[in-house]
Amino acid sequence: MGFFNDMLGKTSAKEATQLGTRNAGQINSGYDNANSQSETGYNAAQGRYQPFAAQGQRGSEAYGNALGFNGAGAQQKQFGEFQSSPFMQYPQPYGANADDAIFRRYGAKGQGNSGATHLAVVRAAGERAQGDVNNYYSHLQGAAQMGLGIAGQQAGLDSGYYNGMAERSVGRSNALVNNDTQATQAANNARMAGVNNVLTGVSAIGGTMFKAFAPMPTPGGK
């Protein structure tokens, strides 16, 4: 049977089909590996950004609370955090020293307990307090902006990752289609070669038989 399968092109057609199957497996394996490596890199990059993204998100929320965007309750809570901050408690003695310096300066002029003195102290204290508030806003805003920048970087990673996945998906489909087409053509060519072999054999046999049964010429050509 092996001889006839070879002659009919069945063996070559089967081998072409098997090769196409093996090639398809290799194509899928290669693309699967590429996707896996891409996912590993994507997750690692996102992991490095995530702590800063979380910090920026908290800063953005706190900034919105401080501005009253999230309601009076959230704003009051944020104000309480501002007041209780140890970094706000730290400069208070220095503020008191500054007030004492104002009293001493006006006292040297004979105005130690005057309205002008108290007004100067109140103004200086108000400027310090407003400066503290402005600095607090500025810090929260900086954290929110950092979060926005990190979110942009993460969005870029998302875009690159999913674009790469889409491109590889198209590439995989094209590669599989080309491989299937080539394997099918190779199998069909092998079968056609087998048909040609059969036709050639039949033709040769027919010619031999025709010669065998052809009338023998008579002597003298009669």
Side-chain angles (χ1 to χ4, degrees):
M1 292 297 294
F3 169 77
F4 290 105
N5 285 340
D6 291 345
M7 180 178 179
L8 295 173
K10 291 183 179 181
T11 301
S12 296
K14 182 178 180 181
E15 291 175 350
T17 301
Q18 291 174 341
L19 178 60
T21 301
R22 290 196 300 273
N23 287 345
Q26 291 294 324
I27 290 170
N28 283 321
S29 177
Y31 276 99
D32 288 342
N33 183 59
N35 286 338
S36 177
Q37 294 294 332
S38 177
E39 183 178 9
T40 298
Y42 169 78
N43 289 335
Q46 288 284 16
R48 289 187 174 91
Y49 277 123
Q50 189 54 41
F52 302 100
Q55 179 178 322
Q57 186 175 8
R58 291 193 298 270
S60 179
E61 182 179 1
Y63 187 49
N65 290 343
L67 294 176
F69 292 164
N70 301 317
Q75 187 178 41
Q76 188 61 43
K77 181 180 178 181
Q78 195 66 45
F79 181 65
E81 293 184 6
F82 164 71
Q83 286 183 308
S84 63
S85 170
F87 293 97
M88 289 302 303
Q89 306 299 323
Y90 173 77
Q92 287 183 358
Y94 298 96
N97 293 338
D99 293 340
D100 290 341
I102 294 174
F103 277 114
R104 287 194 300 270
R105 186 168 68 250
Y106 277 87
K109 300 177 182 179
Q111 301 175 341
N113 198 31
S114 66
T117 302
H118 286 284
L119 180 61
V121 170
V122 170
R123 181 182 293 114
E127 289 176 351
R128 288 196 303 271
Q130 188 60 54
D132 290 340
V133 171
N134 291 342
N135 287 337
Y136 186 69
Y137 279 145
S138 178
H139 294 157
L140 293 181
Q141 185 181 35
Q145 289 176 341
M146 180 193 72
L148 179 61
I150 295 299
Q153 296 292 331
Q154 289 181 312
L157 288 176
D158 289 342
S159 179
Y161 175 69
Y162 289 108
N163 283 341
M165 290 283 287
E167 290 174 359
R168 285 190 295 276
S169 179
V170 173
R172 183 202 297 260
S173 296
N174 290 337
L176 289 173
V177 168
N178 290 336
N179 174 68
D180 183 65
T181 300
Q182 292 174 4
T184 301
Q185 288 177 344
N188 288 338
N189 290 339
R191 294 188 184 95
M192 289 302 301
V195 171
N196 290 334
N197 289 338
V198 172
L199 293 177
T200 300
V202 170
S203 177
I205 293 173
T208 301
M209 292 180 62
F210 179 78
K211 291 179 180 179
F213 289 97
M216 294 297 292
T218 59
K222 296 181 179 179

